Amino acid sequence: MANNDRAKQFASFDALKGFREALLEKEKIIVPKTELSEDKKAELDRILHHIKPNDIITVIYYAGNEYLKITGMVSRFSASSRTLQIVGTKLSFDDICDIKTDGI
């Protein structure tokens, strides 16, 4: 028996196609988006006015029924369209719940 044929013999078998993905989806906990206080909105607005491209920041944001955290370099910032892009992730100001920077 050739080595390639032997390896196929021990390959995992997924009897129910998509079952593992369905289980992982079922395990996700759906988190509702919380409304920020006026003080927190004002703080975020102050921080956002000081951010510029090439700054390294950490952002906690709401996406797809969960809160995610990303740290990286700001590649784009647009106050007019209310978007911020960190590396390849484009964020709306409305989805941001916290921002951490070193100098601000």
Side-chain angles (χ1 to χ4, degrees):
M1 183 181 283
N3 282 343
N4 287 343
D5 293 335
R6 257 182 87 210
K8 289 179 186 175
Q9 174 182 346
F10 296 106
S12 64
F13 175 70
D14 198 0
L16 299 172
K17 203 169 201 72
F19 184 67
R20 288 186 183 147
E21 291 81 11
L23 283 178
L24 288 174
E25 189 65 32
K26 184 78 172 164
E27 290 177 359
K28 283 188 177 181
I29 298 170
I30 296 174
V31 180
K33 187 175 181 180
T34 58
E35 186 65 33
L36 298 177
S37 69
E38 291 302 318
D39 291 339
K40 186 65 175 177
K41 286 180 184 179
E43 178 187 349
L44 286 175
D45 188 50
R46 182 186 60 79
I47 293 170
L48 285 169
H49 277 84
H50 289 91
I51 290 176
K52 56 191 177 302
N54 299 327
D55 285 351
I56 303 292
I57 63 173
T58 299
V59 176
I60 298 174
Y61 64 100
Y62 188 77
N65 297 326
E66 62 184 341
Y67 283 94
L68 301 172
K69 180 179 180 179
I70 185 171
T71 300
M73 185 185 314
V74 176
S75 53
R76 288 196 177 135
F77 179 84
S78 174
S80 60
S81 64
R82 300 182 46 79
T83 58
L84 168 71
Q85 185 169 339
I86 300 174
V87 187
T89 305
K90 191 173 183 179
L91 306 171
S92 168
F93 288 1
D94 298 330
D95 294 332
I96 296 172
C97 70
D98 198 14
I99 300 174
K100 301 280 190 249
T101 63
D102 290 332
I104 302 172

